[in-house]
Amino acid sequence: MFQDFFGAICPGGLSGCDVAPDYLAVHLYATSLDSFKTQVESYHNDFGLDIAITEFACHAFDGSPAASTDQVSQFMSQFPLNVFCERRRARPLIS
């Protein structure tokens, strides 16, 4: 989906394209921190852009049962508080 869009606006690739985005805004859904990190890394590697995570949740859209309150609590506890509080400058989640 993103490749088709970026290919249409920048047929020669993002590098040097006058209308290339500065970053990619995404919504991510995962049930583990490892899965979350894998998705972020995949977007970054595929597009070579900084990633702005504009929404995320402990959820899977594969038909598996909804996460329990304990699972959501465990998932969210793995994110540093500054991920939720710092809005003025980006902080790397993955080092």
Side-chain angles (χ1 to χ4, degrees):
M1 174 176 70
F2 288 123
Q3 289 91 344
D4 293 340
F5 174 75
F6 290 142
I9 64 170
C10 297
L14 295 178
S15 181
C17 178
D18 290 340
V19 294
D22 296 322
Y23 61 91
L24 182 64
V26 297
H27 293 188
L28 295 176
Y29 305 96
T31 55
S32 73
L33 185 60
D34 287 339
S35 176
F36 183 89
K37 287 180 177 182
T38 297
Q39 290 181 59
V40 173
E41 289 170 345
S42 177
Y43 280 123
H44 176 72
N45 293 338
D46 288 350
F47 299 103
L49 297 170
D50 290 336
I51 306 300
I53 302 161
T54 55
E55 177 179 308
F56 71 97
C58 181
H59 186 74
F61 287 99
D62 62 3
S64 57
S68 69
T69 302
D70 288 340
Q71 289 169 314
V72 172
S73 179
Q74 169 66 23
F75 178 78
M76 298 302 283
S77 72
Q78 296 177 68
F79 292 90
L81 183 59
N82 65 6
V83 168
F84 304 110
C85 297
E86 183 65 45
R87 297 179 65 139
R88 289 172 290 187
R89 69 182 171 270
R91 295 190 183 254
L93 177 63
I94 300 171
S95 52

